[in-house]
Every structure is written in structure tokens, then in C-alpha cells.
Amino acid sequence: MTDVSKLSIGILGGTGDQGKGLARRFALAGHPVLIGSRNAQRAQEAAESIGAGATGAENADVARRADIVIVAVPYEGHKALLESLRDELAGKIVVDCVNPLGFDKKGAYALPVEEGSAAQQAAAVLPDSRVVAAFHHVSAVLLLDPEVEKVDLDVLVLGDDREATDTVQALAEAIPGVRGVYGGRLRNAHQIEALTANIISINRRYKAHAGIRITDI
Ligand SMILES: NC(=O)c1ccc[n+]([C@@H]2O[C@H](COP(=O)([O-])OP(=O)(O)OC[C@H]3O[C@@H](n4cnc5c(N)ncnc54)[C@H](OP(=O)(O)O)[C@@H]3O)[C@@H](O)[C@H]2O)c1
């Protein structure tokens, strides 16, 4: 297993529930965590609410300073944000957890993405970064809940760079209860992002925070 314990984790859009939830778990696991935002003060407030040594700064600052950068912004802002950070993110592992989803009266559904998926869009916009797709199905509610000691799911990790996917699998396992599982190349990220719409339907029907487990491995 790759040793990732010393790596600093930056989170773009870390002021939202998903970013804060991941930040909280990585900070508790001992990682230096940098919360990113379009507004430095919002980032600092979010970092204070997490504690455990997390700090906050503008997204560009975080992208420049962190070893691994997680993208946790809504799909609407995804492409433009990454385009603006191409230089800062060059050479880094960039972890995309963005689910391009629409919502209507029937619930959640997957949006078409010209590049195939949000993760492939990130890879197209960031040719000098190592883009990995992961953390699509983990519930922010569970990540943020202090009563939840273990988060019971497999995190599917997709990418075209073996060292980068190994690193992100190991990072996922810093969250108690989580197993990181390689889920294929980036060209198969669409199904993983789209599956979140099914999980949202499951959550609504069963009043749950469902996760998935892969058997026989
Ligand atoms: N919530 C979940 O349980 C969950 C689970 C798995 C994956 N995800 C994915 O994670 C991402 C974040 O989810 P979330 O629920 O945390 O979303 P969110 O609260 O709506 O947004 C997260 C942060 O993104 C920033 N942001 C908003 N619009 C932006 C734009 N146009 N450009 C740049 N930054 C923008 C905001 O931070 P500032 O205003 O401070 O810049 C906001 O606090 C989504 O793509 C979602 O699909 C969410």
C-alpha cells in the first residue's frame, strides 16, 4: 500500500458539505488539510469549523500549495474553475468527485457531458495533471456526522495512471471503514458519476445514506 500519510490535501470548493466532510475525515487522519474557496474568509471559517489543524485560503493558493487536490465544486462551475487553475495544478494528482446531475419532479438524473464525464472534462482541461475520479458515492452527511465513526462503503477510484490511482485508493482508506477499489480507466467514469442518481433514488426511498460494496475482491 502506498504511504500517503504525510501528503497535504487541498480541497477546491471545500466550503460545501462534500468538501468539508472529506476535509474533516482527512484532518482527523492526520493529513495537513487546506480548504479552498473563491473567498479566503469563507475558507478560513470553514477550516475553523473543521478544526484538527485545517487551514483555509483561496482556491488558487490551495491548488498551488497542496500535494493532492480534490475538486468538490458543483458541475456548473467545474470547467471554468479548473481552466483558471491549469498552471497551479500542473504535475499534481487532481481528484474529481463531481457528479453532473440534474433534478426534476422525478428525482435525480445524469446530465450529458461533452467530454464523456466530469472527470474526463477535468483531464481535457488539465493536460499536465494526473486526474483521478473518486469519492462520488460517499455521503457528505455521514462524513460530517461526529457520531459516525466508520463510513461503510467502497470508494471506486478510476484513472489512467496506476501510481495516481494507487495513491488515491490509499488516501480513501484514511477514512475509517472505507476501502479504496480500482474501478477502471477514466473513460468509464461516466457510469460512476451517473450511478449517484440511482443512489439518491435509493436514499429517498429507504431514508438512508447508501453506499456500495464490491464483492469477491
Ligand atoms: N454532497 C454530497 O453528499 C456529495 C457526495 C459526492 C459527491 N458530491 C459532489 O461534490 C461536489 C460538491 O458538492 P457539495 O454538495 O459540497 O456542493 P455545494 O455545497 O453546492 O458547493 C461546494 C462549494 O463549491 C463552491 N462553488 C459553488 N459554485 C461555484 C462555481 N460556480 N464556481 C466555483 N466554485 C463554486 C462554493 O464555495 P465558495 O462559494 O466558498 O467558493 C461551495 O461552497 C458536487 O460536484 C457534487 O456532485 C457531493
Side-chain angles (χ1 to χ4, degrees):
M1 180 62 75
T2 315
D3 181 15
V4 297
S5 58
K6 305 272 187 305
L7 298 180
S8 62
I9 313 299
I11 305 188
L12 308 179
T15 53
D17 281 351
Q18 176 70 347
K20 266 197 292 195
L22 290 171
R24 175 172 176 275
R25 297 289 170 165
F26 294 136
L28 288 174
H31 288 278
V33 167
L34 296 86
I35 299 279
S37 166
R38 291 168 293 184
N39 175 291
Q41 194 181 336
R42 264 204 304 280
Q44 280 153 17
E45 285 164 8
E48 275 164 32
S49 78
I50 289 161
T55 59
E58 280 187 18
N59 284 322
D61 224 6
V62 166
R64 199 174 305 115
R65 282 161 45 205
D67 295 318
I68 296 182
V69 178
I70 300 176
V71 190
V73 298
Y75 175 59
E76 299 73 50
H78 179 252
K79 191 172 189 176
L81 178 69
L82 295 183
E83 277 172 344
S84 75
L85 298 176
R86 187 176 291 156
D87 292 344
E88 289 83 349
L89 293 172
K92 305 208 175 188
I93 295 177
V94 175
V95 185
D96 205 292
C97 69
V98 170
N99 293 310
L101 297 178
F103 293 86
D104 63 16
K105 277 192 292 190
K106 296 181 189 170
Y109 60 97
L111 296 174
V113 177
E114 196 184 330
E115 295 83 353
S117 62
Q120 286 166 288
Q121 184 178 82
V125 169
L126 303 172
D128 300 325
S129 302
R130 295 191 283 166
V131 174
V132 172
F135 302 112
H136 301 88
H137 307 144
V138 64
S139 155
V141 175
L142 298 183
L143 291 173
L144 285 167
D145 188 341
E147 304 284 309
V148 175
E149 279 176 31
K150 289 189 173 182
V151 185
D152 180 20
L153 88 161
D154 288 341
V155 164
L156 295 178
V157 179
L158 291 83
D160 296 334
D161 178 319
R162 176 72 186 258
E163 194 200 3
T165 55
D166 284 352
T167 299
V168 177
Q169 280 178 251
L171 178 65
E173 296 190 0
I175 303 173
V178 168
R179 182 174 64 157
V181 174
Y182 173 67
R185 300 282 184 143
L186 222 50
R187 68 181 180 181
N188 283 315
H190 167 76
Q191 300 87 279
I192 302 303
E193 295 171 7
L195 183 62
T196 307
N198 304 75
I199 293 175
I200 290 170
S201 304
I202 293 167
N203 287 341
R204 287 187 178 172
R205 172 71 61 92
Y206 297 98
K207 311 252 178 291
H209 300 291
I212 58 169
R213 285 287 192 197
I214 306 299
T215 60
D216 201 34
I217 55 167

